[in-house]
C-alpha cells in the first residue's frame, strides 16, 4: 500500500462495554477507514463465519480461538462508537 495514500495506525486499544478491545491495524485513506485483524498461525484452521470459535489443529493438538470475523466486527463497531471517529462502516468478507 502506498504510504502517501494509506496512513497506518497499529495496536489500538479502545474501550468497550465489557472492558476493551485491541485492534491490530487501522488504515486511513481517502477511500475510507480499513480495520484489519491479523493472525500468525500454523497448521489447519477450521471455522465458519457463523461460529463463535474456530479451531487450529497442529501436531495432533487442537486449540480454539475467537472467530476473527466476529472479532473484527467488534473492532469496527467499537471504532464507530469512538468519540474521535465520525464514520460509518461497511464490512468486506
Amino acid at each position: 500500500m502506498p504510504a502517501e495514500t494509506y496512513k497506518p495506525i497499529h495496536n489500538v486499544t479502545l474501550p468497550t462495554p465489557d472492558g476493551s478491545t485491541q485492534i491490530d491495524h487501522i488504515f486511513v485513506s481517502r477511500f475510507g477507514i480499513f480495520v484489519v485483524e491479523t493472525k500468525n498461525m500454523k497448521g489447519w484452521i477450521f471455522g465458519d463465519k457463523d461460529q463463535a470459535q474456530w479451531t487450529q489443529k497442529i501436531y495432533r493438538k487442537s486449540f480454539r480461538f475467537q472467530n476473527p470475523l466476529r472479532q473484527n466486527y467488534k473492532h469496527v463497531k467499537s471504532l464507530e462508537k469512538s468519540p474521535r471517529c465520525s464514520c460509518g462502516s461497511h464490512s468486506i468478507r
Side-chain angles (χ1 to χ4, degrees):
M1 287 193 240
E4 64 276 0
T5 306
Y6 297 91
K7 175 168 177 23
I9 306 168
H10 306 288
N11 196 26
V12 175
T13 302
L14 294 174
T16 64
D18 58 343
S20 65
T21 191
Q22 184 270 331
I23 301 173
D24 292 335
H25 313 282
I26 301 171
F27 294 93
V28 181
S29 79
R30 61 188 167 107
F31 304 109
I33 299 172
F34 301 88
V35 180
V36 179
E37 175 65 24
T38 57
K39 300 287 183 201
N40 182 16
M41 305 178 102
K42 295 181 181 181
W44 290 88
I45 306 296
F46 299 94
D48 183 81
K49 66 180 177 109
D50 298 318
Q51 292 176 307
Q53 298 280 312
W54 285 10
T55 303
Q56 173 195 33
K57 289 194 177 254
I58 186 167
Y59 306 120
R60 298 184 185 177
K61 294 185 179 182
S62 293
F63 304 94
R64 297 186 56 92
F65 61 97
Q66 185 178 0
N67 176 338
L69 299 174
R70 288 183 173 205
Q71 186 177 5
N72 209 51
Y73 179 81
K74 181 178 181 180
H75 294 161
V76 169
K77 292 303 175 188
S78 297
L79 188 59
E80 282 179 345
K81 292 177 184 172
S82 172
R84 295 183 206 156
C85 180
S86 58
C87 53
S89 70
H90 301 282
S91 185
I92 301 173
R93 289 188 180 192

